[in-house]
Amino acid sequence: MRNLSVLVVIVTLFYSCSSDSNQEIINNTTEPNLIIKFKFNPTQERLNNFGEPAVISAGNAAQSPNFEKMSANYIEFAPTVNTLLGDGEIIFTGNETTQGGEVAIDFKNAIFAGDNETFLSIPLSQVSQGYYEWVRVSLAYQEGAINFLAENGNEYQGTLASFVGYNNYISSFNLNGSNIIVNENKLQGFWAFETLGLTIQGQAPEGATTVPNPLFNSSPVPQGSCVVTGSFENGLTITGSETSDIVVTFSFSTNNSFEWTEVNIDGKYEPSAGEQVVDMGLRGIIPSLSIE
């Protein structure tokens, strides 16, 4: 009965609003590679949709999820602030399918990476020579732990799966040992939550996901695309004569990225009190370079 009461409590978690093992695309040739790594940073600056510093809105509270893994469906290097989405150097595009009707990300073939893990490795010879100042990453999936306060006064932890890609065909997926069957397309904002072996799922409102884009005025992205944009500190130059690997680490800001409206002003997420989730989007990206 305790488990059932907790499930009833968390049904309001987002009311308002296959393979799951980590994979990576690795190139095993002896020539120098471009290596893409992920980093999840809960202390990195928190940005809004315009790439500007953002505080938590009055009347709201937030927490930084402990993310286990993420997936991306698109990576592009852009040379200037005026480079439109799709006109830069596209270095990765994930699998898509029409099995669910409209074109959608094929989740069963998605690639995952955890914190400080490699997501992609390709020969540098496949990247066009040039200077790149910006990176654009279309995120598809996030999975991690969040805390919530139940009606019984106890605090619990659960596992949240957020499908933040533009459209997602999901046959099934495993969430902390629970198999969830979907077999259809789900738009950005579909979520599932597991705690104490019990699961619920739902759909966040359209437009509820923050997608930081400092190039909002010169190079906008379509709503619902989840293309996060950030700049290299000193740019990225590909000469074509590299002899060592170039490692680009995408540091994603998870700083208070899970946000809700407060009913009880205590900083704890309490769905039983009617506190509603308002945002689950990452809060920025900072790409950095190293030579290996």
Side-chain angles (χ1 to χ4, degrees), residues 57-79:
S57 300
N60 291 354
Q63 62 176 280
S64 303
N66 183 17
F67 284 113
E68 177 185 347
K69 61 183 177 181
M70 294 187 192
S71 178
N73 189 59
Y74 180 89
I75 301 174
E76 177 183 353
F77 293 154

Side-chain angles (χ1 to χ4, degrees), residues 1-246:
M1 290 298 294
R2 184 172 73 93
N3 285 5
L4 180 59
S5 65
V6 172
L7 179 61
V8 171
V9 168
I10 64 173
V11 164
T12 58
L13 180 67
F14 299 102
Y15 182 75
S16 70
C17 317
S18 136
S19 171
D20 276 318
S21 59
N22 282 16
Q23 305 173 52
E24 56 191 48
I25 298 178
I26 298 297
N27 169 61
N28 293 317
T29 64
T30 57
E31 64 178 295
N33 298 317
L34 171 67
I35 299 171
I36 302 294
K37 292 186 175 182
F38 285 177
K39 180 178 177 62
F40 312 146
N41 190 342
T43 62
Q44 188 170 308
E45 189 171 31
R46 186 178 192 267
L47 305 179
N48 62 17
N49 283 321
F50 302 98
E52 302 166 338
V55 298
I56 300 170
S57 300
N60 291 354
Q63 62 176 280
S64 303
N66 183 17
F67 284 113
E68 177 185 347
K69 61 183 177 181
M70 294 187 192
S71 178
N73 189 59
Y74 180 89
I75 301 174
E76 177 183 353
F77 293 154
T80 73
V81 297
N82 295 311
T83 304
L84 296 179
L85 181 65
D87 287 349
E89 179 70 6
I90 301 170
I91 65 168
F92 173 74
T93 301
N95 290 329
E96 296 177 323
T97 181
T98 57
Q99 189 170 348
E102 298 293 327
V103 176
I105 297 168
D106 188 1
F107 181 72
K108 71 179 180 181
N109 290 313
I111 306 301
F112 303 93
D115 188 32
N116 292 315
E117 291 183 349
T118 296
F119 175 77
L120 175 71
S121 178
I122 60 173
L124 273 167
S125 59
Q126 295 181 8
V127 183
S128 297
Q129 298 176 28
Y131 174 81
Y132 303 99
E133 186 177 356
W134 298 87
V135 64
R136 315 194 92 158
V137 181
S138 179
L139 294 161
Y141 179 78
Q142 308 167 10
E143 182 179 317
I146 61 170
N147 300 316
F148 68 97
L149 187 66
E151 190 173 15
N152 60 14
N154 293 324
E155 194 164 358
Y156 297 93
Q157 187 174 86
T159 303
L160 173 69
S162 302
F163 291 82
V164 293
Y166 70 97
N167 196 17
N168 310 272
Y169 178 75
I170 310 163
S171 53
S172 64
F173 63 101
N174 185 286
L175 186 60
N176 202 28
S178 296
N179 189 48
I180 298 176
I181 299 174
V182 181
N183 286 326
E184 62 180 346
N185 282 356
K186 293 293 186 180
L187 293 174
Q188 181 186 68
F190 176 69
W191 55 265
F193 186 76
E194 182 279 334
T195 188
L196 302 175
L198 304 171
T199 62
I200 57 172
Q201 54 187 273
Q203 183 75 42
E206 182 179 356
T209 302
T210 293
V211 183
N213 177 20
L215 306 183
F216 184 87
N217 291 321
S218 62
S219 183
V221 299
Q223 183 173 344
S225 65
C226 206
V227 179
V228 181
T229 303
S231 63
F232 292 100
E233 183 177 5
N234 296 304
L236 166 65
T237 300
I238 304 296
T239 65
S241 59
E242 288 82 7
T243 58
S244 299
D245 294 341
I246 294 179

